[in-house]
Amino acid sequence: MTVRSGPPPAGGWPPVPTPARQRRGVLGPVLGLMALAVCGLVAVGIIGTEIGPEAVLVGTLTALLPVGPVVAAFLWVDRWEPEPPRLLLIAFLWGAGFAALSSLIINSSAALVVDAALGHGPADVLGVAVIAPVVEEAMKGAFVVGLLVFRRQEFDGVVDGIVYAGLVGAGFAFTENILYLGRAFADAGFAGEAGGVATILFLRGVLSPFVHPLFTAMTGIGAGVAARSRSVGAGVAAVLTGYLVAVTLHALWNGSAGVFGGGVFLGVYGLVMVPLFIGMIAMVVWQRRREQRIVAAELPGFARAGWIAPSEMQLLATLAGRRGWRAAVRQRSGKAAERAVARYQAAVTELAFLRHRMHRGTAGPYGPHWHEELLAELMRARARAIGMPEALTAAWRRPPPPGWAPPPPGWRPPPR
């Protein structure tokens, strides 16, 4: 049971969990996943009416090839504070289902209107270079903004924004690749012609698999900046700026590929997209080092409070230390103990990030409530790990201080 101290924030505390609310908390995401899956099936069905079922099958199978490495790359980025797997899956399905279907419908409808008003030629140019970037980035970015607004406790900064936006973009690219690869198969077969499946797969799956994730990551970076901002106005401006950058890059890419021809496309690819991608990698590395510094700075306070053992601080402070700890536990006690330690490490990181946000004044009115929840989760995770043979003692390179004992499950610090 969560005991709340101090006056409630404006609007009151979040609802106390009850069995009925917990059932709704499970039912809601399940229904959401089903709805997103249906959107994806409808989008694929619409594509199938254009290119045929055989081409859709070929397009789907070949589109699977680049999506695995792209998703794996974003999960690698997300190692310090792994996001809930359910939310990561929803992010991918949002891009592959809702964003793809809604963009397909809106783009087609807008193209018909522009075609009737301006003629076929201008409609093609506006559709590729203006309408598609505006619509698609709005549909993809809506998930990131919704997460920032409704699940703020899951959004700690720029890395989270990049991860969620990247998975949305990967899902969108997967569905879009089904269309392009399937159309290539219907028009030219697997290989032997310039527009065959092999050519399109090389262009979209080898040279530019990160294009859609890169565009949407601009909105994700804006949302990450907003999550760390003390001002609502500054946060809104950061999100809008990220979205406008995403639209601009998307329009530049589409225009160079579909309007201006090969020479311009190669220039945009080599002079804009490749440096931008390298810059994104550099930003991720920098942000991950920042996250490491945040965790390391909070660990001494955790040890003084008795939430962790002092001998664990060194291992919890680096990814290498955490990996070595889990590897030692897996070797000595098995995978179940390793999973218990991994969950304990994740709980430490979650609480460290929240306390950092509370120190900066960016956690919002529910910060103390989230603190109690995360601290309780940390105690539960530690209790599970203690129950595993050598799960925690594998990290104790020196004995704990005399008289030290881990806090009992459910322990909370006294109110400040």
Side-chain angles (χ1 to χ4, degrees), residues 80 291-293 295-297 299 312-322 325 348:
W80 250 119
E291 290 181 342
Q292 178 180 350
R293 290 194 298 270
V295 173
L299 290 178
E312 296 166 3
M313 287 173 51
Q314 183 178 0
L315 296 181
L316 287 168
T318 65
L319 284 175
R322 293 181 176 209
W325 184 356
V348 169

Side-chain angles (χ1 to χ4, degrees), residues 289-314:
R289 289 178 178 173
R290 173 185 169 273
E291 290 181 342
Q292 178 180 350
R293 290 194 298 270
I294 289 173
V295 173
E298 294 291 339
L299 290 178
F302 285 23
R304 287 193 298 269
W307 302 340
I308 66 173
S311 56
E312 296 166 3
M313 287 173 51
Q314 183 178 0

Side-chain angles (χ1 to χ4, degrees), residues 55-66:
V56 166
L57 178 61
V58 172
T60 301
L61 293 176
T62 51
L64 288 171
L65 298 177

